[in-house]
Amino acid sequence: MQALIDRIKQEGKVFPGNIIKVDSFINHQVDPELMLAMGKDFHAKYQDQAIEKILTIETSGIAVAVTTALQFQVPMVFAKKSEAASMDKNQYQAKVYSYTRGKTFEIRVAKDYLKAGERVLIIDDFLANGEALSGLISLCEQAGAEVAGIGIAIEKTFQPGGEKIRQAGYPIYSQARIKAFEGDTILFEEN
Amino acid sequence: MQALIDRIKQEGKVFPGNIIKVDSFINHQVDPELMLAMGKDFHAKYQDQAIEKILTIETSGIAVAVTTALQFQVPMVFAKKSEAASMDKNQYQAKVYSYTRGKTFEIRVAKDYLKAGERVLIIDDFLANGEALSGLISLCEQAGAEVAGIGIAIEKTFQPGGEKIRQAGYPIYSQARIKAFEGDTILFEEN
């Protein structure tokens, strides 16, 4: 998606450890017009998939998940993160390891909001090692919901998450695919 | 705002300790059409205030802050929460006590995204004791930004936050104002 790629080129900041920060328009300050355009782009990609629910994870996925849900006219659910384990029979839970933070946390969705047979579009801002995305897929599987599509804003294709999850048979569409960093320069996959 | 009040009457759940849960359309599952209508309502209220930025706090404020920012065509910034104190000279910070969780946490905004003289509309989902809102106001004051308005989805008018912050001179518009709970029944202020 060219508008997102252009914005990343203009404002994305590269940090050691293959980290890219997009705090000025996605992760801290948010550009609502860009979020709307991204929501429309996800809708264009998955509009024939009879999507019934958008699933994301707090916090940074929420903005684009809302604009995407607006296009599909379906509810959005955000999984909640917690560092503490809990046993609540009313929730689906999955463990997610965060490479950024170097620890494992739990993500949860109330059973009321993810149902058997529901066709779910998972939306998230980043895909790198695929830990959070695998956790969201696990929540859907526990519910018996169907992952009808996955929409990612920024994928780092040189990290293994996308490959692993595509090989497991899940369709992933990423709007901007970063293949490498060369110093401060961000290189994108051709298309 | 009648659409929100009606939805709270239909789906809001009252819990001991004057807690109301609106997990089915705001705090966990999110109704994007309602968020859009709420954003339009905030815009109608504050459209003559030359708003330049929307400020909210993660997590539950983000959805309605995005739809509000779309109406004003200005950026949205969400303050980040942390349990750990930090000293980062590039951030404004404020301490917020959470009655729900019984502990104090920090909220932060990068100085890059809140500027002196900027006219800010603060948006949040709940107002009760006013702790989070006071923290957001403090961030604006530290930045020299002007709080041009405050928009709240659900205010519990029997708790002291709204009164305290209005008396300090800040304009607050709340879309649904709950004056009391009688058993499972939610009573709203007349208008």
Side-chain angles (χ1 to χ4, degrees):
Chain A
M1 187 205 174
Q2 201 56 46
L4 177 60
I5 292 169
D6 291 345
R7 193 68 172 269
I8 295 167
K9 285 180 179 172
Q10 287 162 23
E11 299 184 24
K13 289 180 186 158
V14 181
F15 288 83
N18 288 323
I19 304 285
I20 176 169
K21 286 212 174 188
V22 288
D23 273 3
S24 63
F25 57 101
I26 293 181
N27 291 132
H28 186 12
Q29 183 166 254
V30 176
D31 178 341
E33 297 289 337
L34 181 63
M35 296 303 112
L36 184 62
M38 289 162 67
K40 288 178 176 174
D41 185 62
F42 285 134
H43 182 253
K45 179 70 186 175
Y46 288 116
Q47 60 184 327
D48 58 352
Q49 288 301 311
I51 302 298
E52 296 170 290
K53 187 156 285 179
I54 308 297
L55 176 66
T56 189
I57 183 170
E58 63 181 7
T59 304
S60 301
I62 293 176
V64 65
V66 166
T67 57
T68 304
L70 268 176
Q71 304 307 311
F72 283 95
Q73 300 185 284
V74 300
M76 181 272 277
V77 175
F78 58 90
K80 301 191 177 192
K81 283 182 200 171
S82 170
E83 291 184 18
S86 82
M87 298 288 277
D88 182 336
K89 65 179 171 36
N90 299 313
Q91 297 179 323
Y92 301 112
Q93 303 177 29
K95 288 194 192 307
V96 170
Y97 179 75
S98 167
Y99 285 88
T100 319
R101 300 185 182 189
K103 59 186 169 188
T104 298
F105 56 94
E106 283 215 349
I107 66 172
R108 303 171 194 173
V109 166
K111 292 184 179 179
D112 282 347
Y113 307 130
L114 203 53
K115 297 291 190 185
E118 216 165 31
R119 290 181 64 80
V120 175
L121 173 58
I122 296 175
I123 296 287
D124 207 2
D125 55 341
F126 270 97
L127 171 57
N129 289 297
E131 292 289 318
L133 185 51
S134 296
L136 291 171
I137 292 169
S138 169
L139 296 178
C140 290
E141 288 178 342
Q142 291 172 52
E146 189 171 347
V147 179
I150 295 168
I152 301 293
I154 303 172
E155 178 177 352
K156 295 194 278 189
T157 59
F158 57 88
Q159 289 183 271
E163 177 76 4
K164 181 180 69 180
I165 292 164
R166 285 184 181 93
Q167 285 195 351
Y170 296 99
I172 302 178
Y173 165 61
S174 299
Q175 294 175 324
R177 296 188 299 142
I178 295 173
K179 67 178 177 186
F181 299 110
E182 285 185 358
D184 286 345
T185 304
I186 304 161
L187 302 180
F188 292 85
E189 302 276 358
E190 277 308 306
N191 133 3
Chain B
M1 188 205 175
Q2 201 57 46
L4 177 60
I5 291 169
D6 290 346
R7 193 66 172 272
I8 295 168
K9 286 180 179 172
Q10 286 162 24
E11 297 184 24
K13 288 180 187 160
V14 181
F15 288 83
N18 289 322
I19 305 284
I20 176 168
K21 288 214 173 184
V22 288
D23 273 4
S24 62
F25 58 100
I26 293 181
N27 292 130
H28 186 12
Q29 181 167 256
V30 176
D31 177 341
E33 297 289 337
L34 181 63
M35 296 303 111
L36 184 61
M38 289 162 66
K40 289 178 177 174
D41 185 61
F42 285 134
H43 182 254
K45 178 71 186 175
Y46 288 117
Q47 62 185 326
D48 58 353
Q49 288 300 312
I51 301 299
E52 296 171 290
K53 187 156 284 178
I54 308 296
L55 176 66
T56 190
I57 182 171
E58 61 180 10
T59 302
S60 301
I62 293 175
V64 67
V66 166
T67 58
T68 304
L70 268 177
Q71 304 307 311
F72 284 95
Q73 299 184 285
V74 300
M76 181 274 277
V77 174
F78 59 89
K80 300 190 177 191
K81 284 182 199 170
S82 169
E83 290 183 19
S86 82
M87 298 288 278
D88 182 336
K89 65 177 170 39
N90 298 314
Q91 297 179 324
Y92 301 112
Q93 303 177 28
K95 289 194 192 308
V96 170
Y97 180 74
S98 167
Y99 285 88
T100 319
R101 299 185 183 191
K103 59 187 169 188
T104 299
F105 55 94
E106 285 215 348
I107 67 172
R108 304 171 193 173
V109 166
K111 291 184 179 179
D112 282 348
Y113 306 131
L114 202 54
K115 296 291 189 186
E118 214 165 32
R119 292 182 62 80
V120 176
L121 172 59
I122 297 175
I123 295 288
D124 206 2
D125 56 340
F126 270 97
L127 171 56
N129 290 296
E131 292 288 318
L133 185 52
S134 295
L136 290 170
I137 291 170
S138 168
L139 297 177
C140 290
E141 288 177 342
Q142 291 173 51
E146 188 171 348
V147 179
I150 296 168
I152 300 293
I154 303 172
E155 178 178 352
K156 295 193 277 188
T157 59
F158 58 89
Q159 289 183 270
E163 176 75 4
K164 182 179 68 181
I165 291 164
R166 284 183 182 95
Q167 284 196 351
Y170 295 99
I172 303 178
Y173 165 61
S174 299
Q175 294 175 323
R177 297 189 298 142
I178 295 173
K179 66 178 177 186
F181 299 111
E182 286 185 357
D184 286 346
T185 304
I186 304 161
L187 302 180
F188 292 85
E189 301 277 357
E190 277 308 307
N191 90 7

